[in-house]
Amino acid sequence: MKVGFIGLGIMGKPMAGNLLNKGYAVTVCDIHEDAVRQLTGQGAASAVSPKAVANVSDIIITMLPNNEIVKSVILGDGGIIHGAKPGAIVVDMSSTSPVVSREIAARLKERGLHMLDAPVSGGEPKAIDGTLAIMAGGDEDVFQQVLPVLACMGKDITLVGGSGSGATAKLANQIIVNVNIAAMSEAFVLAAKAGIDLEKMYLAIRGGLAGSSVLDAKAPMILERNFQAGGRIDINLKDLTNVMETAEAIDVPLPLTSQVLEIFQTLKAEGKQALDHCGIVQYYEKLANATVAKSE
């Protein structure tokens, strides 16, 4: 099967690279020419538009920043819908709202096209090594057709349910991840202000009930003062905005999520939107007049 890949950012570029490494014929498209050149250097073909990608692909994957761009790339002028062959499958691996996912799926179905919403979790490291968690929504038969392709990029791959289910699972995932980072940041700021050795504290708690993948991924970054983005603050702000819009539509109060969203808004206003979301610790550091870092 020929695969198209649109969106070669922090996550998309290594994901497309893994497809090439597994022997798939991949056609790529992105507004950033450097990213396209890197993938063509690895053996990919390139196309000038999403429509052109769809013309030569059986499966078209999108990995894009927000709802508006996803809709434009799939449904807009020059979009996938205008170039895809009947029976082609669109796999949106972006963090898109369930409402938008279902809307796009319905539009594609009218044209004889299939769709999976299949967002991912694991950040840049797991995108690079091909071990992402992938949560999919759509029809079982379509999922089975795409599964070998998804297996090149992910390790834990689950069909959650019908259209929009993968996107909903990703919203739940983002609540857990970002509230976890906020709680971890509070704890490390408390420990820093109390004057204890933060590296030893991390070693002391990581094997207990407080241990988590989030703690192991983000605590070392914070202690090294490394806020280079694997998951940017502004992208996670977008995700939590989708969470709150969905929650409002179905009458679910989310007090912790709403507070973390406001913290991200504050950090964005301070110009920190391009930092990794573990940079949320800086919000708490400012409140407590403390710095979280490993001992010299």
Side-chain angles (χ1 to χ4, degrees):
M1 300 182 87
K2 295 181 178 179
V3 181
F5 205 109
I6 303 168
L8 305 175
I10 290 173
M11 301 289 287
K13 186 169 66 174
M15 290 164 69
N18 283 327
L19 290 172
L20 290 166
N21 292 339
K22 295 294 185 178
Y24 279 94
V26 181
T27 301
V28 299
C29 179
D30 194 273
I31 59 173
H32 296 104
E33 295 180 0
D34 285 348
V36 173
R37 277 195 294 269
Q38 288 182 47
L39 268 297
T40 55
Q42 296 177 43
S46 65
V48 296
S49 69
K51 178 181 177 181
V53 172
N55 277 330
V56 297
S57 304
D58 303 301
I59 297 172
I60 307 101
I61 296 170
T62 54
M63 190 64 177
L64 300 162
N66 58 50
N67 293 330
E68 291 71 25
I69 295 174
V70 171
K71 288 182 70 173
S72 175
V73 164
I74 297 176
L75 303 177
D77 293 340
I80 291 168
I81 196 171
H82 302 295
K85 299 168 285 188
I89 302 170
V90 177
V91 183
D92 179 32
M93 304 189 78
S94 320
S95 294
T96 308
S97 82
V99 173
V100 170
S101 290
R102 287 191 288 268
E103 176 190 345
I104 294 171
R107 290 279 302 277
L108 291 173
K109 187 175 182 180
E110 292 171 357
R111 301 288 285 267
L113 306 170
H114 307 290
M115 179 176 167
L116 288 179
D117 46 283
V120 305
S121 181
E124 184 182 14
K126 290 186 179 292
I128 291 170
D129 64 21
T131 60
L132 290 163
I134 302 175
M135 49 215 84
D139 294 338
E140 173 73 34
D141 59 339
V142 176
F143 174 74
Q144 291 299 331
Q145 290 180 62
V146 173
L147 187 56
V149 173
L150 298 180
C152 297
M153 300 176 285
K155 180 182 178 184
D156 298 308
I157 306 166
T158 306
L159 180 63
V160 180
S163 180
S165 297
T168 303
K170 179 59 187 281
L171 297 185
N173 179 87
Q174 294 304 82
I175 293 173
I176 294 169
V177 169
N178 286 297
V179 172
N180 198 338
I181 294 174
M184 181 185 75
S185 296
E186 282 195 1
F188 272 86
V189 167
L190 172 69
K193 198 67 180 279
I196 69 171
D197 187 305
L198 300 180
E199 287 181 286
K200 290 181 179 177
M201 185 198 77
Y202 165 56
L203 293 174
I205 68 174
R206 67 189 297 261
L209 197 57
S212 69
S213 296
V214 171
L215 181 70
D216 284 340
K218 300 302 181 180
M221 292 178 66
I222 291 173
L223 293 174
E224 293 285 349
R225 308 300 294 173
N226 171 21
F227 302 122
Q228 183 175 349
R232 288 170 55 121
I233 283 173
D234 54 2
I235 297 297
N236 283 276
L237 188 157
K238 176 266 299 181
D239 289 346
L240 293 189
T241 299
N242 285 340
V243 168
M244 296 308 300
E245 289 175 354
T246 303
E248 182 177 353
I250 58 176
D251 296 325
V252 177
L254 298 175
L256 293 177
T257 304
S258 63
Q259 185 171 4
V260 176
L261 177 61
E262 286 300 315
I263 293 171
F264 280 154
Q265 293 280 17
T266 300
L267 292 169
K268 182 181 178 183
E270 293 175 353
K272 296 182 171 70
Q273 65 272 11
L275 300 182
D276 188 87
H277 48 165
C278 71
I280 195 172
V281 72
Q282 296 179 12
Y283 174 86
Y284 294 100
E285 289 174 333
K286 187 174 181 180
L287 291 178
N289 190 28
T291 300
V292 176
K294 66 179 183 178
S295 302
E296 296 295 334

